[in-house]
Amino acid sequence: MTTRRLRATLLLAAAVPLAAAAAAAVLKASHLALHADQHRVEITARPRPNCPRCHGEGGWWVGGAFPEMEACGCWAHRRELRLRLWPVPDRDEPPF
């Protein structure tokens, strides 16, 4: 391995955690949630903690004997972003 390639590899290894920390800070400030695993990367909206309507709860209960949650507009009608990485395996047969 040449010195130039080693330097680039070390620089990249140092930059990835810094970029991940910066992305997490930006997502937290913008009230977004990040989920990543081997099958997908997903960015979804979270309720605003200072919302005057739901007070950060995300909605309220309505109804009588069988109440349902009505979602607040501070997060419910915002778009989601999903990137599919690997297909999810079929679970038709047991794993044993």
Side-chain angles (χ1 to χ4, degrees), residues 40-57:
R40 69 188 179 279
V41 175
E42 186 174 284
I43 299 175
T44 57
R46 294 184 312 170
R48 289 189 338 222
N50 58 352
C51 178
R53 292 175 56 197
C54 69
H55 305 288
E57 296 293 321

Side-chain angles (χ1 to χ4, degrees), residues 33-91:
L34 172 71
H35 174 79
D37 61 13
Q38 66 184 12
H39 300 293
R40 69 188 179 279
V41 175
E42 186 174 284
I43 299 175
T44 57
R46 294 184 312 170
R48 289 189 338 222
N50 58 352
C51 178
R53 292 175 56 197
C54 69
H55 305 288
E57 296 293 321
W60 48 87
W61 294 98
V62 295
F66 302 105
E68 292 184 358
M69 179 93 166
E70 183 175 330
C72 182
C74 70
W75 70 277
H77 305 296
R78 291 174 57 191
R79 293 183 54 154
E80 298 178 349
L81 175 66
R82 290 185 186 149
L83 299 171
R84 230 176 98 180
L85 302 176
W86 291 97
V88 179
D90 292 332
R91 301 285 183 191

